[in-house]
């Protein structure tokens, strides 16, 4: 059967996150962007909503079960508040959910409780590499078999909180296949480089890292299920796409309210079809991609073979949608949209990043 | 609950409809496109028999075979059927016998007696058509500007005016004993409040089909003009109240309610054309040894791969909007915005996909050896009828902005 309504539990979660997004993230997003980070107490408050905790079973320190659909709803609601804030709060999911999805029981028991017990901790994933045609399907960071373990060498960027992370999930190519390795933050050969200076998501501190012959044990490679990281990467595409939907929804609502308020030539600019049609098309675009995100998430939950393709298409659509919607939001505000007092220029900068944020969050 | 599995009973229906689309529609698509206004009787008679065997003489929402403890999936099934038939041939789908928009108007605004009287004819041995007549030479999207008048004379209404763009109008009035639902005003000063639908049955004196349009596409579907000259219909043929309400615009709302129900179905038809074009395009690429690689960033894709992937996103996201709109109809939720959203996106998408596939196939795409050029022509109607893309944008815009017709016109 088809269904297009979150269940009661999901609805409650979305409402709780909605309050956090509206009361904490949106009001603080401007300053966080200017200052280059979110205050730890805001991140902690978001963490206490329990999105990741509710995705893990009790045996591994959580109190629920993994659902990509629920995760997508949560990611959308968080990013409605702020994309960088959402990525910060959910950064540990980029470490924990691949362990849950692709790790062995031993790896889950070892790592998951550490991540989710008590307060937010800066666990993160290192996926993206400094290359114009980067793709997680063809990584330059290499893993070589080395005795019982592996040696990792390469360069990563866009690694959130790398300077404080207790451990990172490093994606690397092993015999041509993308695999993930748990690397402690203090591993020998791991160097934390400069903080990335990006077009957007300024409130998320991300770093260059270098891996020079970093040796890890055999147990560091996620090896619980099928080989490769196809499913966690699909879950990441869905999560990023869901965040793009939430952020775009915020941009749309802001531009819509502004257009109803702002008058020109004797009436609200929203009363002119040139503006009203833009707003209508933005709403249609957002809803269309939201449904693709939900479907891909549902397919992941059902374990369907087409899930990775759907997740990829959802993210391709979401990246275009986010750029279209956020660009138009700036356009509707006119010159005011270009001024940093209004959030639309920030959404536009964040919007362009969607396609690059591979592996930074998972659902 | 959020879920995306196609119900088994719809799968079964689609399998049957696919056989018709593949074996009966596609093989004759070119022939009927070349011979405009030829009537595809084989298709009409076959589908009439098939639909009669399933219990109805129309393509209408039905929950036949659905487990009783599950919610209705009737509109969802209908959307799938229309999508599949339009994959076969969108013009021929419009030649599917049964009540069509005419019966939908009777369903939406008629009394139980009227429904019995007018809808029974679709259950007979022979195929029967019905149609809806709204547009006039001077009134398209602005339906409140219609001039066709209905004046009461004793126990009859006298209709005068001219209607154009009546889909299946000839089949409803000349080729079969059907009817056309004619929108007319009972009080020209009352604007929308005075608008009422009237059932004009085949054979009614004073109702004449005067012209069949020659069109860009969907050429097998007849698009008729009808002149009403002192056309008398029984008093009981008015759908809805014979009084001009002062407080509401019920007549107009009746028309709009019909459109809310049918817009996602028009969108479903658009989706069938778009899917057909994209599938053929991918097949042709595959024959040339071109494989589409999914999962890579744009910088690593060839232009053809980018095009195909973009078209897949467009097509599928539009289809999901259609599914949501018909799901809402099945759930008895108000779906005016969802319907218009689906219609806007489907109209855009089918036009883009059919234009691109013709372009990307180069000299072959432009050739009549393939059906791509036909679908390019068929596609455009979906951005025009049942509310142009612009009218549907206006509906969405008013609703999301909370504006009245006066505030945003």
């Amino acid at each position: 059967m088809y269904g297009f309504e979150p269940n009661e539990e999901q609805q409650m979660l979305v409402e709780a996150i909605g309050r956090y997004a509206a009361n904490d993230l949106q009001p603080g997003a401007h300053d966080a962007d200017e200052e280059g980070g979110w205050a730890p107490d805001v991140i902690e408050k978001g963490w206490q909503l329990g999105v990741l905790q509710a995705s893990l079973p009790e045996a591994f320190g959580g109190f629920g079960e993994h659902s990509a659909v629920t995760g997508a709803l949560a990611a959308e609601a968080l990013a409605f508040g702020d994309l960088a804030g959402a990525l910060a709060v959910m950064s540990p999911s980029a470490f924990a959910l691949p362990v849950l999805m692709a790790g062995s029981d031993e790896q889950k028991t070892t790592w998951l409780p550490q991540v989710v017990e008590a307060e937010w901790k800066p666990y993160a994933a290192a996926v993206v590499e400094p290359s114009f045609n980067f793709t997680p399907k063809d990584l330059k960071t290499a893993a070589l078999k080395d005795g019982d373990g592996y040696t990792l060498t390469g360069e990563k960027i866009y690694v959130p909180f790398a300077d404080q992370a207790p451990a990172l999930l490093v994606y690397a190519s092993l015999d041509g296949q993308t695999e993930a390795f748990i690397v402690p933050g203090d591993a020998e050969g791991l160097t934390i480089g400069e903080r990335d200076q990006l077009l957007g998501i300024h409130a998320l501190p991300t770093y260059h890292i270098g891996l020079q012959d970093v040796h890890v044990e055999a147990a560091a490679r996620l090896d619980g299920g099928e080989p490769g990281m196809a499913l966690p990467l699909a879950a990441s595409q869905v999560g990023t796409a869901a965040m793009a939907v939430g952020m775009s929804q915020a941009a749309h609502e802001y531009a819509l309210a502004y257009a109803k308020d702002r008058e020109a030539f004797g009436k609200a600019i929203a009363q002119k079809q040139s503006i009203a049609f833009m707003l209508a098309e933005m709403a249609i675009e957002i809803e269309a991609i939201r449904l693709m995100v939900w479907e891909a998430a549902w397919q992941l939950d059902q374990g369907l073979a087409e899930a990775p393709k759907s997740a990829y298409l959802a993210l391709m659509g979401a990246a275009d949608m986010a750029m279209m919607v956020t660009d138009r939001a700036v356009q509707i505000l006119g010159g005011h949209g270009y001024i940093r007092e209004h959030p639309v220029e920030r959404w536009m900068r964040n919007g362009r990043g969607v396609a690059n944020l591979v592996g930074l969050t998972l659902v | 609950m959020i879920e995306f599995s196609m119900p088994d009973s719809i799968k079964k229906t689609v399998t049957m409809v696919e056989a018709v689309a593949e074996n009966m529609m596609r093989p004759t698509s070119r022939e009927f496109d070349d011979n405009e206004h030829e009537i595809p009787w084989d298709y009409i008679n076959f589908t009439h028999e098939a639909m009669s065997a399933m219990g109805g003489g129309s393509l209408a929402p039905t929950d036949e075979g659905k487990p009783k403890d599950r919610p209705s999936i009737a509109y969802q099934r209908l959307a799938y059927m229309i999508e599949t038939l339009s994959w076969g041939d969108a013009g021929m789908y419009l030649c599917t016998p049964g009540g069509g928009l005419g019966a939908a108007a009777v369903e939406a605004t008629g009394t139980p007696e009227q429904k019995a009287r007018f809808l029974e004819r679709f259950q007979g041995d022979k195929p029967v058509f019905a149609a809806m007549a709204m547009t006039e030479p001077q009134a398209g999207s602005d339906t409140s500007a219609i001039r066709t008048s209905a004046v009461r004379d004793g126990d009859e209404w006298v209709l005068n005016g001219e209607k154009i763009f009546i889909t299946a109008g000839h089949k409803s009035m000349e080729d079969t004993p059907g009817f056309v639902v004619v929108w007319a005003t009972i009080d020209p000063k009352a604007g929308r409040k005075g608008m009422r639908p009237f059932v004009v049955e085949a054979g009614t004196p004073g109702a004449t089909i005067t012209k069949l349009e020659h069109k860009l596409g969907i050429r097998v579907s007849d698009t008729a003009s009808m002149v009403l000259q002192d056309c008398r219909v029984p008093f009981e043929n008015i759908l809805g109240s014979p009084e001009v309400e002062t407080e509401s615009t019920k007549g107009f709302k009746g028309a709009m309610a019909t459109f809310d129900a049918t817009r996602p179905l028009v969108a479903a038809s658009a989706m069938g054309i778009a899917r057909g074009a994209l599938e053929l395009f991918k097949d042709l690429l595959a024959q040339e040894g071109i494989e589409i690689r999914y999962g890579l960033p744009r910088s690593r894709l060839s232009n053809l791969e980018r095009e195909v992937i973009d078209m897949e996103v467009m097509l599928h996201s539009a289809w999901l909007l259609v599914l949501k709109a018909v799901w809402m109809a099945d759930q008895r939720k108000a779906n005016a915005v969802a319907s218009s959203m689906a219609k806007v996106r489907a109209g855009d998408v089918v036009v883009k996909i059919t234009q691109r596939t013709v372009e990307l196939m180069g000299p072959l795409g432009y050739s009549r050896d393939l059906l791509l050029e036909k679908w390019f022509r068929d596609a455009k109607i979906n951005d025009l009828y049942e509310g142009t893309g612009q009218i549907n944008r206006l509906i969405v815009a008013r609703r999301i902005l909370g504006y009245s017709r006066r505030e945003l016109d």
Side-chain angles (χ1 to χ4, degrees), chain A residues 1-5 133-135 137-138 260 271 273 277 281 285 287 295 298 309 312 320, chain B residues 1-3 5 70 80 294-298 300 312 316 324 327 333 345 393 401 407-409:
Chain A
M1 302 291 281
Y2 290 103
F4 296 90
E5 270 177 345
N133 63 359
F134 162 77
T135 167
K137 288 187 152 188
D138 180 17
K260 287 186 79 171
Q271 289 180 267
Q273 287 190 354
F277 280 17
E281 287 165 4
E285 200 66 25
E287 176 71 359
E295 185 184 45
W298 179 82
K309 183 182 168 190
Y312 168 71
D320 288 347
Chain B
M1 180 116 174
I2 292 173
E3 49 182 336
S5 62
R70 297 305 305 255
Y80 264 107
Y294 295 89
L296 295 174
R298 286 219 171 93
R300 290 196 183 216
E312 286 193 28
H316 195 62
K324 184 176 176 189
W327 172 84
K333 293 177 194 292
R345 184 130 174 119
R393 277 170 174 76
L401 284 158
E407 288 168 308
L408 179 62
D409 66 358

Side-chain angles (χ1 to χ4, degrees), chain B residues 153-352:
Chain B
D153 180 19
D155 54 4
E156 287 179 329
W157 293 97
V158 184
L159 275 63
N160 278 287
E162 185 186 0
K163 292 290 180 183
I164 62 169
F165 297 174
I166 309 168
T167 298
H170 194 273
K171 290 188 197 66
S172 303
M173 295 298 281
E174 305 272 340
D175 303 319
T176 70
F179 61 81
V180 174
V181 171
V182 174
W183 287 80
T185 175
I186 55 174
D187 181 358
K189 290 189 293 294
R192 291 191 176 81
K193 290 175 186 143
M195 282 175 60
R196 291 294 180 282
F198 293 86
V199 178
V200 177
E201 295 181 275
T204 308
T208 319
I209 297 294
T210 52
K211 185 183 173 190
L212 292 179
E213 303 288 352
H214 296 89
K215 302 189 298 296
L216 171 65
I218 55 164
R219 290 186 178 168
V220 62
S221 165
D222 76 83
T223 303
S225 299
M226 180 163 74
V227 167
L228 299 146
Q229 197 164 25
D230 293 330
C231 173
R232 289 176 174 270
V233 299
F235 179 78
E236 301 78 32
N237 283 28
I238 188 171
L239 299 172
S241 162
E243 306 296 329
V244 177
E245 292 97 352
T246 46
E247 295 303 312
S248 76
T249 52
K250 217 175 166 186
F252 183 73
K253 282 186 179 152
M256 293 308 118
T258 310
F259 288 131
D260 288 348
T262 54
R263 268 186 187 135
L265 302 176
V266 175
S269 175
M271 292 290 89
I273 303 174
R275 179 168 64 89
L278 185 52
E279 280 178 7
L280 177 58
F281 179 57
K282 286 169 74 176
D283 286 349
L284 294 168
L285 290 182
Q287 284 169 27
E288 298 291 330
I290 297 167
E291 187 197 342
I292 307 300
R293 299 164 303 160
Y294 295 89
L296 295 174
R298 286 219 171 93
S299 55
R300 290 196 183 216
L301 296 172
S302 71
N303 183 56
L304 282 174
E305 287 171 326
R306 276 198 290 272
E307 291 280 357
V308 168
I309 286 165
D310 285 353
M311 287 192 279
E312 286 193 28
V313 171
M314 281 191 253
L315 177 70
H316 195 62
S317 62
W319 176 239
L320 292 176
L321 287 180
V322 174
L323 279 182
K324 184 176 176 189
V326 288
W327 172 84
M328 290 176 80
D330 282 331
Q331 300 274 319
R332 304 279 180 269
K333 293 177 194 292
N335 71 342
V337 178
S339 292
S340 285
M341 281 189 168
K343 176 68 168 58
V344 168
R345 184 130 174 119
D348 283 353
V349 159
V350 72
V351 166
K352 273 190 202 146

Side-chain angles (χ1 to χ4, degrees), chain B residues 358-378:
Chain B
V358 167
E359 180 197 0
L360 292 167
M361 282 312 292
L364 305 182
Y366 202 66
S367 161
R368 283 152 52 92
D369 290 346
L370 294 175
L371 285 169
L372 291 173
E373 66 80 27
K374 176 183 180 291
W375 296 331
F376 167 103
R377 291 182 288 109
D378 289 348

Side-chain angles (χ1 to χ4, degrees), chain A residues 216-235:
Chain A
V216 292
E217 292 169 11
R221 181 173 74 86
L222 299 191
D223 61 352
E226 286 178 33
M229 296 298 286
L231 287 180
L233 284 166

